[in-house]
Amino acid sequence: MEITTYSKRMGEQNSVKPTRKPIRKIILRDRWLYFMLLPGIIYFLLFKYLPMWGVLIAFQNYQPFLGFWHSDWVGMKHFIRFFNEPTFWMLFRNTVILAIYNLIFFFPLPIVIALMLNEVRKNFLKRFVQTMIYIPHFFSWVVVVGIFYLLFTVEGGVVNEAIVRLGGEKANFLISADWFRTLIMTEVIWKETGWGTIIFLAALAGVDPGLYEAATIDGAGRWRQLWHITLPAIRSTIVILLILRLGHFMGTGFEQIILMLNAMNREVGEVFDTYVYSVGINQAQFSYSTAVGLFESLVGLILVLTTNALAKKAGDEGIY
């Protein structure tokens, strides 16, 4: 009888489901955490999600005086026009070339510098170098382009003066189509490389020191430790940042390029971002420029989805 009674009591206890707290109580309990989320939520709603409705004007003949709902719908007219424009392939070529340059020359540099800084044992020297390479990130592109103008201008530019003193002739780098992409990439590398090392240094800080000790005992040198321990430890970080970088593959940076453009280098410097500004703001072709911007965004979306799928097949987590 006692065993039966005990079994019944245990059965009754197991049949009782745990009670869940109401959502209202959970929100009330963590109200200050949710309050801290409000600025970020408001920012994304106002500047990221609500403007997405504006892409619909790419399928309209949008007239500001008629408004969003009363403008005529024209379907794919603006896309067809854009793909048939003589400038389309020029814009596509310039944008893709600059994007590939970014992936080849800029993207690996933060990884390399982070690996080099990780090997520095003197904390004072490490912090000093980090500070010096971080500073350019806080300069606006106007300041950066101004600095490069002072360096490369024909009249009193430091670079041209040095060339003349070495027996050469002055070169007008700023209006040369041959030097445009080189200058663009040099500015990007100088300004953003140091800032890009922050994430990789944080990833390197999470590597277990015991792995290096075990590798040292087994006779592995610094290069083998780098190849077999360090790089595999930050592989997922590299993959995620590469996927995010490809999301901005077609966005090569409007402010920098518009400041460097002129009549002499426009043939190699005009990209989708500057073209959207030119036809959308200067010429008030709002629907057409929106169609161009939407095409650029769709290419980025396709690249992100494709790269993420390939990363998952290769055994990485990806971004979702």
Side-chain angles (χ1 to χ4, degrees):
M1 291 293 293
E2 291 181 0
I3 296 175
T4 306
T5 305
Y6 177 76
S7 301
K8 288 182 178 179
R9 289 178 181 176
M10 291 300 296
E12 291 175 358
Q13 289 179 3
N14 293 332
S15 63
V16 176
K17 295 182 179 179
T19 57
R20 294 183 179 180
K21 291 184 179 180
I23 297 178
R24 182 176 58 82
K25 288 186 178 181
I26 295 174
I27 294 175
L28 187 63
R29 183 193 63 190
D30 300 328
R31 60 187 178 279
W32 294 114
L33 294 177
Y34 290 108
F35 182 76
M36 292 173 64
L37 287 174
L38 275 180
I41 293 172
I42 293 172
Y43 168 79
F44 278 98
L45 284 175
L46 291 179
F47 298 103
K48 299 296 181 181
Y49 288 99
L50 288 179
M52 289 176 67
W53 290 101
V55 301
L56 292 177
I57 70 173
F59 307 95
Q60 293 181 326
N61 186 17
Y62 178 71
Q63 300 293 330
F65 297 105
L66 295 176
F68 184 78
W69 299 111
H70 298 287
S71 298
D72 296 331
W73 293 88
V74 295
M76 303 294 290
K77 175 183 175 181
H78 300 299
F79 293 94
I80 296 171
R81 173 193 166 188
F82 175 55
F83 295 141
N84 290 325
E85 284 280 356
T87 56
F88 171 76
W89 289 112
M90 179 196 74
L91 296 171
F92 187 81
R93 181 184 67 250
N94 293 340
T95 304
V96 169
I97 289 174
L98 283 176
I100 292 173
Y101 279 11
N102 266 284
L103 287 178
I104 295 175
F105 298 110
F106 170 67
F107 182 76
L109 278 179
I111 304 172
V112 174
I113 293 178
L115 293 172
M116 293 171 67
L117 287 173
N118 192 53
E119 297 297 321
V120 177
R121 294 294 174 257
K122 293 185 179 181
N123 290 329
F124 172 77
L125 178 61
K126 185 176 182 179
R127 288 196 296 267
F128 175 76
V129 173
Q130 284 179 283
T131 303
M132 295 305 296
I133 62 178
Y134 290 167
I135 289 175
H137 170 77
F138 299 99
F139 296 161
S140 70
W141 278 115
V142 176
V143 174
V144 173
V145 172
I147 292 172
F148 272 71
Y149 177 84
L150 294 175
L151 289 174
F152 291 97
T153 183
V154 175
E155 301 298 330
V158 176
V159 175
N160 273 305
E161 291 298 325
I163 292 173
V164 170
R165 294 195 178 187
L166 292 173
E169 296 183 358
K170 291 184 177 181
N172 204 332
F173 298 100
L174 298 175
I175 66 171
S176 172
D178 296 331
W179 283 96
F180 177 81
R181 290 167 183 153
T182 303
L183 288 176
I184 289 292
M185 290 312 306
T186 305
E187 291 172 0
V188 171
I189 289 170
W190 181 72
K191 185 177 186 295
E192 300 295 347
T193 299
W195 188 255
T197 61
I198 292 177
I199 297 176
F200 295 108
L201 284 171
L204 289 170
V207 181
D208 185 4
L211 296 175
Y212 294 108
E213 295 174 3
T216 303
I217 294 172
D218 291 338
R222 300 304 301 175
W223 285 106
R224 284 193 173 275
Q225 292 178 28
L226 173 68
W227 186 256
H228 294 287
I229 298 175
T230 307
L231 287 177
I234 63 173
R235 175 182 169 180
S236 60
T237 304
I238 295 173
V239 170
I240 290 172
L241 290 179
L242 176 61
I243 294 171
L244 295 176
R245 169 67 61 178
L246 288 174
H248 299 280
F249 185 80
M250 305 295 282
T252 50
F254 163 75
E255 188 176 357
Q256 176 196 15
I257 294 178
I258 198 69
L259 290 169
M260 294 291 292
L261 272 182
N262 53 61
M264 301 299 293
N265 59 27
R266 189 170 296 275
E267 187 68 23
V268 298
E270 187 85 86
V271 294
F272 287 121
D273 289 336
T274 56
Y275 185 69
V276 167
Y277 171 78
S278 177
V279 300
I281 303 300
N282 294 342
Q283 301 177 26
Q285 299 183 44
F286 303 113
S287 293
Y288 177 65
S289 61
T290 303
V292 178
L294 183 57
F295 165 76
E296 181 183 344
S297 300
L298 286 175
V299 172
L301 177 61
I302 292 170
L303 287 173
V304 167
L305 295 176
T306 305
T307 312
N308 189 74
L310 293 175
K312 284 190 170 183
K313 285 187 176 180
D316 290 291
E317 294 182 359
I319 58 175
Y320 64 88

